[in-house]
Amino acid sequence: MEWLIPPELTELQRTVAHFVRRYLHPHERAVEIADHVDPDLMRELKRQAVALGLFAFNMPEEVGGPGLPYLAQVIVREQLGHVSMALSEAVGRPAKILLDCQGDQRDRYLLPAVRGEQVIAFGLTEPNAGSDATRISSSAARTAGGWVLNGRKHYISHADIADSIIVFAVTDAVKRHKGGITAFFVDRGTPGLEIRRQQKMGWRGYGLAEMTFDDCFVPDANVLGDVGDGFKLAMKNITEARLGVAAHCVGMGQRLLDLTIAHLKNRQLFGNALGEFQGVQWMLADAAVALESARLLTYQTAMLIDNGAKDVRGQVSMAKLAATEMAAKMADIALQLQGGGGYMSETAVEMYYRDVRAFRLGEGASEIHRNQIARSLMA
Ligand SMILES: Cc1cc2nc3c(=O)[nH]c(=O)nc-3n(C[C@H](O)[C@H](O)[C@H](O)COP(=O)(O)OP(=O)(O)OC[C@H]3O[C@@H](n4cnc5c(N)ncnc54)[C@H](O)[C@@H]3O)c2cc1C
């Protein structure tokens, strides 16, 4: 795939690949076992990522990011798929919604997040509103000097460790997602905010949490964007986030393919290397075709955006669908070909088998992307 990558980005790709191998892989096994990343370790890894200019690689130069084109961003993100989700966070990618910070919010939230000093979570999903986020029911009512929040969110990435959570709440029950939802920074320690880490299948060391707001007071200064603009803000950067997931899954698929090829060459069965059996070769070939197809779709979509394409929603959905479904199949094939060893927790294959599953749900479930692709085709 090197011919697709302009020479000026090859060095960047090598730098991230080296960082992943040299600084992140050594901790992968311990993080899986503990289901925890030591905060001091994460601080140090982030410091190294900042020093290399990799941290906040999705951010523009005016706020301290590198201002990379989308193709460069997907190349970085792809390399981060070569390590567990938890450790990939060392090369953080703050939510782009933070670019809508106004006034002193830039110093309180945006700039510390870009420097890797603060974690800001994104709280949209609720028990009755996931794929259909227009149905959120958490509410914010006006009071002197601010707002009083009530409601519940769940499955929120990093809410367990976040310094602040961007919470979307209904401020006008009639307008709802058409001008009646507002985004608020709710800071850790706010009275009435309760956060509980949730148990899950994979992504060990990467917390998801549910939270409740019980008459939480949030000052006016913590409104992100304009009152009523929350839903628009939540959707504004969704395309980019989805393309990032596609790139991450391409990286996961590549590491799984590499592990599988190494195993097929080494494992001796019935007097042959396992990889010499035709049935196995066909599985490998089909998996490699799916991987390259997903990678091409992802790169092509990034290039379309870089070239100024206006509406890439259908294209992004194709990339996200292809890459997440490919990674899931790749994990299954990798585990099957490793035999019992693939089922054992010592292998990265077992970790990936659990980790890839989430990507067909988050950032739009596969079915939502099929809907979008069909809509774009028929527009
Ligand atoms: C690892 C992980 C991290 C997450 N991080 C965050 C986060 O940081 N912030 C946040 O706000 N949320 C987060 N989420 C939540 C995520 O966005 C939701 O899980 C997702 O939007 C799906 O919503 P749901 O779980 O309520 O499923 P539902 O909306 O109930 O959907 C269930 C299933 O129904 C099917 N379905 C839904 N709609 C349709 C349709 N129109 N046609 C056909 N089939 C359909 C799909 O198969 C879907 O998977 C995270 C989730 C996971 C798993």
Side-chain angles (χ1 to χ4, degrees):
M1 203 46 55
E2 277 171 13
W3 58 270
L4 257 187
I5 301 178
E8 67 273 18
L9 298 186
T10 320
E11 191 51 38
L12 174 68
Q13 186 189 39
R14 280 203 205 102
T15 304
V16 189
H18 176 74
F19 182 77
V20 167
R21 270 197 312 272
R22 168 85 176 74
Y23 295 102
L24 304 184
H25 276 176
H27 303 290
E28 192 174 69
R29 184 85 198 101
V31 167
E32 281 300 296
I33 292 169
D35 191 9
H36 176 71
V37 187
D38 177 65
D40 289 337
L41 171 66
M42 186 48 95
R43 233 185 321 276
E44 175 55 18
L45 293 173
K46 282 184 177 177
R47 195 193 58 73
Q48 284 161 336
V50 168
L52 284 169
L54 298 177
F55 199 89
F57 62 88
N58 59 335
M59 285 290 181
E61 280 175 303
E62 55 268 28
V63 299
L68 295 174
Y70 276 85
L71 181 59
Q73 293 182 37
V74 301
I75 284 168
V76 173
R77 188 70 192 266
E78 177 183 341
Q79 292 306 315
L80 297 179
H82 285 247
V83 69
S84 71
M85 267 305 280
L87 285 163
S88 80
E89 290 294 305
V91 183
R93 35 213 183 256
K96 285 290 263 299
I97 190 175
L98 287 167
L99 292 173
D100 281 279
C101 280
Q102 293 160 359
D104 80 336
Q105 289 176 350
R106 284 172 64 89
D107 291 321
R108 288 166 60 210
Y109 303 111
L110 169 63
L111 300 179
V114 170
R115 291 193 298 262
E117 295 161 6
Q118 270 197 24
V119 174
I120 314 282
F122 180 93
L124 180 63
T125 304
E126 300 182 358
N128 290 318
S131 302
D132 184 1
T134 64
R135 289 176 54 83
I136 63 165
S137 59
S138 291
S139 66
R142 263 240 173 264
T143 188
W147 300 80
V148 176
L149 266 66
N150 280 288
R152 184 167 164 217
K153 301 280 176 187
H154 70 178
Y155 313 158
I156 308 304
S157 296
H158 299 314
D160 55 329
I161 55 162
D163 299 280
S164 188
I165 301 146
I166 299 169
V167 173
F168 297 86
V170 176
T171 43
D172 183 328
V174 176
K175 292 186 185 161
R176 299 191 53 79
H177 62 288
K178 294 178 178 159
I181 291 176
T182 302
F184 300 89
F185 284 104
V186 180
D187 300 336
R188 169 166 299 282
T190 300
L193 168 66
E194 253 196 51
I195 302 173
R196 290 167 298 279
R197 192 171 158 147
Q198 295 179 279
Q199 294 298 313
K200 56 183 169 27
M201 178 178 179
W203 293 26
R204 292 198 181 146
Y206 179 118
L208 295 194
E210 61 180 333
M211 65 198 86
T212 45
F213 313 94
D214 186 7
D215 284 339
C216 263
F217 173 76
V218 178
D220 280 322
N222 282 23
V223 172
L224 174 60
D226 290 330
V227 171
D229 267 357
F231 197 75
K232 212 163 70 190
L233 290 183
M235 296 299 128
K236 192 162 128 188
N237 302 299
I238 205 167
T239 307
E240 181 189 330
R242 291 173 164 182
L243 191 59
V245 167
H248 202 103
C249 285
V250 169
M252 293 174 121
Q254 184 65 58
R255 185 163 175 215
L256 283 161
L257 186 72
D258 294 346
L259 289 166
T260 304
I261 292 170
H263 181 71
L264 295 184
K265 286 181 177 170
N266 287 331
R267 180 69 170 162
Q268 296 292 315
L269 283 169
F270 305 105
N272 291 302
L274 180 55
E276 282 167 31
F277 294 107
Q278 192 182 50
V280 167
Q281 289 178 351
W282 287 11
M283 286 163 81
L284 183 70
D286 287 345
V289 170
L291 170 61
E292 291 303 337
S293 308
R295 179 180 280 128
L296 282 170
L297 269 172
T298 304
Y299 285 16
Q300 184 195 39
T301 308
M303 288 175 184
L304 281 172
I305 300 173
D306 287 335
N307 288 335
K310 287 282 170 282
D311 185 356
V312 289
R313 282 175 295 179
Q315 191 73 25
V316 166
S317 284
M318 282 192 200
K320 202 268 183 184
L321 179 67
T324 54
E325 297 282 335
M326 171 280 295
K329 282 200 192 92
M330 187 74 85
D332 189 57
I333 289 169
L335 194 150
Q336 187 68 16
L337 292 177
Q338 295 263 342
Y343 193 70
M344 295 295 127
S345 297
E346 297 94 72
T347 71
V349 170
E350 185 265 350
M351 173 192 85
Y352 275 113
Y353 188 80
R354 287 181 281 101
D355 284 4
V356 293
R357 193 63 188 84
F359 289 106
R360 288 161 64 201
L361 302 168
E363 297 298 350
S366 293
E367 293 70 26
I368 297 297
H369 288 288
R370 289 191 175 93
N371 291 348
Q372 179 61 58
I373 293 165
R375 256 200 311 278
S376 297
L377 289 172
M378 292 189 287

